Amino acid sequence: MGLFDGMMGNASEVDTKTAEKELKELLSNSENVEHAYKLIRDLFVFTNKRLILVDKQGVTGKKVEYHSIPYKNITHFSIETAGTFDLDAELKIWVSGNSTPIEKTFNKQLNIYKVQSVLADYVCG
């Protein structure tokens, strides 16, 4: 993914070993990264136990916020596909105890249906 793609919000799939290396201090001994997607500097990571959202902040990206969401706490989710003039697709995830969804925007370069399908596999079993 080039710099221009990152600035435009294009998402891309990330190698699971690369994601595991970046998250090694957060993962439990029995936890493995199974799918990972990069959006600009942020990561959207599916492990065998939970969803991890990595939010890199600031100009340098050295400040990082990690959201750990066990799949059992995801109450529902939705996708809004890109239209003719709207080039972005959006994934919304609602977590129990929170009325405001977590929202992630994806460019057409990454198939939002694939991401939704992966999420459905983990949440719906």
Side-chain angles (χ1 to χ4, degrees), residues 74-79 91-94 116 119-120 123-124:
I74 296 174
T75 58
H76 71 281
F77 52 92
S78 70
I79 60 170
L91 173 66
K92 295 179 184 177
I93 301 170
W94 283 264
Q116 184 274 337
L119 182 60
V123 174
C124 301

Side-chain angles (χ1 to χ4, degrees), residues 66-78:
Y66 300 95
H67 295 269
S68 176
I69 306 165
Y71 297 119
K72 66 179 182 175
N73 291 356
I74 296 174
T75 58
H76 71 281
F77 52 92
S78 70

